[in-house]
Amino acid sequence: MQRIGVLTSGGDAPGMNSCIRAVVRKAIYHGMEVIGIKRGYSGFIDADMGPMNLGSVADIIHRGGTILHTARSQRFQTKEGRAQAMENVRRFGIQGLVVIGGDGSFTGASIFHQEHGIPVVGVPGTIDNDISGTDYTIGFDTALNNVVDAINKIRDTATSHERTFVIEVMGRNSGNIALAAGLAGGAESILVPEIPFNIEDICHKLLSGHKRGKLHSIILVAEGAASGLTIGQQIKDLTGFDTKVTILGHLQRGGIPSAFDRILAARLGAKAVELLMAGDSGKMVGVRSGEVVASDLQEILGKPCPINDEMYQLAKILSI
């Protein structure tokens, strides 16, 4: 294998640049050329791509987002779009592809591999940490720390004004950010899409805490579980407490990647190149129990990634 392509697709995640850097420099170290594909599958179809060298990835390891940019592509979901992408594969002499992204990105990569035979390896990059086959995805640790930092700041004003704060975090289908941040930040209640909740139970808990002298509370809500604004209004109506709502939004996805995410991204990116060199394809690299492993894309696609119930129960106990 003499030339590979690399792209980032779907939502951006802190640490993607570290992964791009690892792919480029690992490939060049082994005598290969790298084509950087911009704006995900959209750039793949539009031939928005070009060669990358050692200098292309200099001074990016500490930067959030992705220097290749990212986008979602409806066209790549069609056979015609994928056929055009394959024309660009031939045009640029790409012999293998590294796709950094989430479940949707991997689905596209897997279909492309099956239709056209181009070797592909996926690298999990999503703040939701909801990909089967890996303990952690690139970007989750940074997003988690961004949320915990916000909780710490909000707790200061919650304490000063003796208020209840509802904080809405990302997590349309996964409550991993809310759960981990809630446990780390000492939230009184954590609402996740995987587990049903009763607003009256939450309010009863708040009232019980207030009776024993607790003057402020933090409620963490994953966006897929409920609207933070709705929960805040319901709490105010049922308890009479002064309740404020903060929606963190895309703040969670930005900022300097954590050391953990940089190291994880570097390890996974390098492993992806090794798999392509070895002729292995249709795989996703991940980390399990600290070891970098490879899984079949077909086995992990769409596979449920359940929330850690033990952690959820622990968070409930510690928030009493």
Side-chain angles (χ1 to χ4, degrees):
M1 188 166 288
Q2 298 298 314
R3 183 177 293 174
I4 65 173
V6 59
L7 63 84
T8 51
S9 176
D12 64 292
M16 280 184 165
N17 283 328
S18 177
C19 189
I20 295 168
R21 176 179 179 268
V23 169
V24 171
R25 292 194 169 178
K26 176 75 169 178
I28 291 174
Y29 176 82
H30 289 287
M32 291 187 288
E33 298 176 354
V34 181
I35 301 297
I37 303 166
K38 295 184 178 180
R39 297 173 181 85
Y41 291 126
S42 289
F44 205 14
I45 294 171
D46 295 333
D48 188 5
M49 58 184 81
M52 301 186 76
N53 54 35
L54 295 176
S56 300
V57 293
D59 203 31
I60 68 170
I61 195 170
H62 63 288
R63 292 167 56 185
T66 162
I67 62 166
L68 291 176
H69 307 293
T70 185
R72 305 184 192 277
S73 174
Q74 297 291 330
R75 289 181 294 163
F76 197 76
Q77 296 179 23
T78 68
K79 282 191 175 183
E80 294 77 14
R82 294 190 294 271
Q84 181 59 52
M86 189 59 199
E87 284 298 314
N88 292 327
V89 165
R90 298 189 185 98
R91 174 183 167 189
F92 285 85
I94 296 172
Q95 298 169 303
L97 186 66
V98 177
V99 176
I100 308 166
D103 192 72
S105 303
F106 294 161
T107 298
S110 180
I111 295 172
F112 190 66
H113 168 65
Q114 293 173 32
E115 286 182 349
H116 299 284
I118 183 78
V120 299
V121 175
V123 182
T126 168
I127 67 169
D128 289 330
N129 201 38
D130 60 348
I131 303 294
S132 178
T134 184
D135 293 338
Y136 297 102
T137 60
I138 297 168
F140 172 68
D141 185 70
T142 305
L144 168 61
N145 280 283
N146 285 341
V147 174
V148 172
D149 183 59
I151 292 173
N152 292 339
K153 290 179 170 65
I154 290 171
R155 188 178 294 279
D156 289 342
T157 191
T159 303
S160 299
H161 291 274
E162 302 178 345
R163 287 172 173 162
T164 296
F165 265 86
V166 175
I167 304 175
E168 182 185 304
V169 300
M170 284 183 167
R172 186 170 50 200
N173 300 311
S174 169
N176 284 319
I177 293 176
L179 176 55
L183 180 57
E188 277 65 33
S189 292
I190 304 170
L191 281 56
V192 296
E194 296 89 340
I195 301 175
F197 67 91
N198 186 314
I199 191 64
E200 292 182 354
D201 291 341
I202 295 170
C203 292
H204 176 73
K205 187 175 183 179
L206 291 173
L207 289 167
S208 296
H210 184 74
K211 286 180 180 178
R212 72 169 194 269
K214 196 169 191 178
L215 301 179
H216 69 275
S217 297
I218 301 290
I219 311 296
L220 218 57
V221 182
E223 62 183 338
S227 161
L229 292 170
T230 299
I231 295 298
Q233 188 61 53
Q234 289 176 332
I235 290 174
K236 187 174 183 179
D237 292 342
L238 292 172
T239 65
F241 293 163
D242 187 6
T243 306
K244 301 298 181 183
V245 178
T246 299
I247 300 174
L248 295 184
H250 287 77
L251 172 73
Q252 298 155 81
R253 277 156 66 158
I256 299 171
S258 67
F260 181 91
D261 273 331
R262 297 186 206 186
I263 294 168
L264 175 66
R267 296 177 71 194
L268 297 186
K271 184 65 174 180
V273 174
E274 291 175 5
L275 289 178
L276 289 176
M277 289 172 55
D280 217 347
S281 182
K283 302 288 187 179
M284 184 201 78
V285 292
V287 60
R288 294 182 193 159
S289 302
E291 298 296 322
V292 176
V293 298
S295 304
D296 288 333
L297 273 175
Q298 284 298 309
E299 291 183 5
I300 63 100
L301 282 176
K303 187 176 181 180
C305 193
I307 203 156
N308 189 321
D309 186 65
E310 181 181 352
M311 188 184 296
Y312 182 79
Q313 296 303 326
L314 177 60
K316 288 179 66 175
I317 292 171
L318 299 185
S319 65
I320 294 175

